[in-house]
Amino acid sequence: MKNIFRILIIIGAVFLLTNCTENFDEINTKPDAFTTEEVSAKFFLTSPQYRLYAPDRYPYWRAHLIHMDRYAGHFCFGMRGSWWSDELGYSYNSGYTDAAWDWLANYIGGLDNYMRLTDVGGEFENQYMFAIGQIMRGLYFQMFTDVFGMIPYTEATNPDITLPKFDDQRTIYQGLIAELDQAMATIGDATRTGANVDDVAENDIFCNGDLQKWKRLANTLKLRIAMRAYGAQGADFATAAITSALNAPLLETSADNVLMKKDEIISQWASASYGDIWYNFGTGSDWTVGKTLIDALRNNNDPRLPFYAKPAKGGTVVIEKPDGPEAERHDKRINYIVNVLTEAGVEYTKTDLENGAVEISMPENMYYVGQPTRINGRTKSYMAYEFFSTPAEDIIRAKNSGYIREELVMASAEAYFLKAEAAVRGLGSGDANSLYQEGIRQAMKLWGVSDGDIETYISSEPMAQLSGTQEEQIEKIATQRWLAAYTDGFEAWAIVRNLGYPAELAQGVSDPDIFGLGDINGKYPQRLRYGNNARNTNTSNYNTAVSQQGADTQETKLWWAK
């Protein structure tokens, strides 16, 4: 990907020239102005793409990291030295929730501008560019609705409606499938959006202008949406959509993976990365990798483990016994953390010191240990940073210091897992086990695992064999999809809510001596609360949505949730 800054300069220039469309013809007659051979809607595509998957640091921190990645069970706060306990996000905080709502609710303007330019009669009318926009809408609205539930959709981009109604998820899902079908029909057999300046090419930082890849992405997204809707009340459209998607090309190979390359030098206030948070604030803003994730990898000899995480730093840690009423829970919390280390296979020494203090020593940089999710503030001092694995360096690398792992838009692995699930449920043909194993193979290739290690895992590990009851097979498929969605907390969180796995996450927490139960008494969060801007400025439609969907709390289940 070209430096996004350079693209933004072009976007800004073109925007200034086209902001008043009545002057466009006049501009083209000036010898020092842009000519028709130099201007194109392609310059308006890049921004909506990166703003959806890598917005500026404010929402990237508050939406992606504080909420989605942690609800997914992939990342944790709450270790010693963290600014927060891992209860953050499970207890309502309007500032963090508002950041997520405002970013997603306001995102659509840039994409809609691109679509108006490429629509019939637009300044840069181009049916293929418009089709790309329709697929982008699918990615966006699926993400948006799966976070909050009912959201503005049918009236969201109507310029004559300033306070749009909130649509139910059935309407949104069915509408998105129709839009995706339209986009795929428009693309047909076409391969490029045009020639020269009309070819989106490298300005398309998802598919580099490859329309057939966009078409496969659209169909895979359609299958995801339809499979998620399947079984939900009133989802009478799902089975036909699943059948249709299964009978058309899906993402298939490593070359089909839709990844957004990170710009390594762009300002964090234009497009952020994890490293903008990790390296800018010290330990207080750091995070660890969740126990459920590390256990699923380590306990099944999954070769992705060193690509996902680093071994725990290790060393010697002293845990002091607290004063006051928390003293009586000291032994319980010591036993808890010791059991975590034991379950991870760590060879450690535990020494009792004076006044109830305990010293724990473990080898440095040797063991992969995940931090338990949702640790409360009173247990935080027992969760030494040195005990736990942190994300692999490619994930958190600082800008201007080398390769940063791409943003995951959609991977071929997901297509195979969806096909395997459809086969298990009797909705599709093909051998479910073969499809499942190819999903694992593609998921591992995505992270650079060697072919030899992949085949060893598939041939020898029980987790790579799809067997047992239908529900046991669904559990394996869901767990592998969840693992493959690492660094995409939005989708990983949706998988847990929709399919119920990993069960360790879905069942929530219950022990208040160890965990932060939050505002939902330890239950697994099902959605984010609406932002204050929705409640305060679109009050009537907000109230209607709440009356239909249920209370505006984190425990209200979405339409498709298990």
Side-chain angles (χ1 to χ4, degrees):
M1 180 182 68
K2 273 190 175 181
N3 183 338
I4 294 176
F5 260 148
R6 292 195 290 270
I7 296 171
L8 283 173
I9 292 171
I10 297 172
I11 292 174
V14 176
F15 177 77
L16 288 173
L17 291 176
T18 59
N19 194 35
C20 298
T21 56
E22 66 270 20
N23 293 328
F24 187 78
D25 291 336
E26 178 185 352
I27 289 167
N28 278 343
T29 65
K30 295 180 180 180
D32 57 344
F34 286 106
T35 67
T36 55
E37 290 77 22
E38 296 172 313
V39 291
S40 165
K42 66 185 286 183
F43 299 117
F44 291 83
L45 175 61
T46 311
S47 179
Q49 289 185 326
Y50 76 75
R51 290 187 186 279
L52 183 57
Y53 287 92
D56 69 81
R57 199 190 75 194
Y58 194 77
Y60 200 85
W61 194 345
R62 289 157 179 79
H64 295 62
L65 181 56
I66 287 178
H67 287 109
M68 315 315 164
D69 290 335
R70 293 176 53 251
Y71 289 172
H74 288 170
F75 295 147
C76 298
F77 294 146
M79 73 287 181
R80 187 190 294 183
S82 174
W83 290 335
W84 308 285
S85 78
D86 206 39
E87 193 171 5
L88 178 71
Y90 297 90
S91 294
Y92 174 64
N93 181 301
S94 61
Y96 297 136
T97 301
D98 284 354
W101 170 265
D102 291 344
W103 159 59
L104 282 169
N106 294 328
Y107 163 84
I108 190 61
L111 178 58
D112 189 54
N113 181 52
Y114 164 82
M115 295 192 70
R116 290 179 188 279
L117 289 171
T118 57
D119 200 358
V120 175
E123 292 287 0
F124 305 114
E125 180 180 339
N126 183 304
Q127 62 175 337
Y128 301 121
M129 292 189 191
F130 186 81
I132 288 175
Q134 289 181 299
I135 300 167
M136 287 285 298
R137 277 175 56 91
L139 292 167
Y140 160 65
F141 278 112
Q142 183 248 313
M143 180 189 292
F144 192 7
T145 187
D146 285 358
V147 172
F148 294 99
M150 292 183 67
I151 56 167
Y153 169 64
T154 57
E155 296 178 352
T157 57
N158 188 328
D160 297 323
I161 298 177
T162 57
L163 298 175
K165 68 178 181 179
F166 289 57
D167 294 288
D168 62 69
Q169 286 198 288
R170 181 186 183 279
T171 298
I172 297 169
Y173 267 41
Q174 193 167 13
L176 293 179
I177 288 173
E179 288 192 65
L180 292 169
D181 282 341
Q182 291 170 6
M184 289 187 284
T186 296
I187 291 172
D189 295 328
T191 58
R192 310 300 296 185
T193 56
N196 302 317
V197 76
D198 289 324
D199 184 353
V200 293
E202 62 186 3
N203 290 75
D204 169 15
I205 55 178
F206 287 3
C207 300
N208 198 36
D210 183 343
L211 284 178
Q212 291 305 304
K213 186 172 181 178
W214 272 106
K215 190 174 180 180
R216 293 189 293 275
L217 167 60
N219 195 43
T220 307
L221 178 60
K222 174 183 173 179
L223 182 59
R224 173 200 280 178
I225 291 171
M227 288 296 294
R228 185 156 295 156
Y230 179 76
Q233 185 176 5
D236 51 352
F237 59 88
T239 300
I242 291 167
T243 300
S244 172
L246 291 173
N247 288 318
L250 298 158
L251 299 176
E252 183 176 357
T253 67
S254 296
D256 285 340
N257 290 324
V258 183
L259 307 173
M260 192 190 85
K261 187 176 180 181
K262 301 291 285 188
D263 191 312
E264 298 170 8
I265 49 181
I266 192 172
S267 165
Q268 62 188 322
W269 298 116
S271 178
S273 65
Y274 287 125
D276 291 324
I277 302 166
W278 187 274
Y279 286 104
N280 287 3
F281 300 96
T283 303
S285 65
D286 287 0
W287 57 95
T288 59
V289 182
K291 182 177 185 297
T292 307
L293 180 71
I294 294 293
D295 287 355
L297 296 169
R298 186 196 60 237
N299 295 346
N300 292 291
N301 299 309
D302 194 309
R304 284 172 290 189
L305 182 54
F307 295 89
Y308 279 24
K310 301 173 187 173
K313 181 179 179 181
T316 298
V317 172
V318 174
I319 302 174
E320 302 287 349
K321 183 175 183 177
D323 297 325
E326 293 303 316
E328 64 185 56
R329 299 176 181 84
H330 178 64
D331 289 343
K332 178 179 181 178
R333 289 169 177 155
I334 287 291
N335 290 336
Y336 180 78
I337 186 58
V338 164
N339 286 337
V340 169
L341 297 177
T342 299
E343 290 174 5
V346 177
E347 294 186 5
Y348 60 87
T349 60
K350 173 177 170 289
T351 306
D352 294 328
L353 306 177
E354 294 181 357
N355 302 317
V358 174
E359 179 184 273
I360 298 176
S361 296
M362 60 180 284
E364 296 181 2
N365 304 310
M366 182 179 295
Y367 294 101
Y368 290 93
V369 185
Q371 180 182 321
T373 299
R374 301 178 71 169
I375 292 295
N376 66 33
R378 300 177 302 281
T379 308
K380 178 180 168 183
S381 62
Y382 296 78
M383 301 292 118
Y385 193 15
E386 293 85 348
F387 291 158
F388 304 115
S389 294
T390 53
E393 189 61 28
D394 285 352
I395 298 169
I396 57 170
R397 182 167 284 116
K399 299 268 181 70
N400 294 297
S401 59
Y403 167 74
I404 302 172
R405 183 159 186 86
E406 299 88 350
E407 295 285 349
L408 175 61
V409 177
M410 185 171 281
S412 296
E414 182 171 359
Y416 286 102
F417 291 135
L418 290 169
K419 288 196 288 185
E421 181 186 347
V424 168
R425 296 189 187 280
L427 300 170
S429 60
D431 180 68
N433 187 57
S434 297
L435 293 167
Y436 172 70
Q437 291 182 338
E438 187 59 31
I440 294 173
R441 186 175 287 110
Q442 290 297 326
M444 291 186 174
K445 285 178 177 290
L446 180 62
W447 284 83
V449 178
S450 71
D451 290 343
D453 287 344
I454 292 172
E455 298 311 318
T456 296
Y457 176 85
I458 289 176
S459 64
S460 61
E461 290 299 322
M463 186 61 187
Q465 311 301 317
L466 202 56
S467 59
T469 66
Q470 182 185 79
E471 190 60 29
E472 288 170 338
Q473 292 180 58
I474 295 297
E475 178 177 7
K476 283 189 173 182
I477 294 168
T479 301
Q480 286 291 351
R481 277 188 68 194
W482 174 78
L483 288 170
Y486 184 51
T487 70
D488 179 5
F490 290 87
E491 189 58 24
W493 178 34
I495 290 166
V496 180
R497 290 175 289 158
N498 177 230
L499 297 175
Y501 300 106
E504 180 180 358
L505 296 172
Q507 67 191 9
V509 296
S510 59
D511 187 348
D513 290 342
I514 303 295
F515 302 106
L517 305 187
D519 297 332
I520 52 178
N521 197 31
K523 295 178 182 178
Y524 190 66
Q526 297 295 321
R527 60 181 292 275
L528 281 189
R529 290 172 59 167
Y530 291 118
N532 279 308
N533 280 333
R535 184 166 52 251
N536 295 336
T537 64
N538 197 2
T539 307
S540 177
N541 288 314
Y542 163 84
N543 288 335
T544 300
V546 171
S547 69
Q548 294 176 5
Q549 180 170 264
D552 187 14
T553 65
Q554 290 174 297
E555 63 183 308
T556 295
K557 288 190 173 184
L558 300 189
W559 171 66
W560 44 253
K562 184 172 182 178

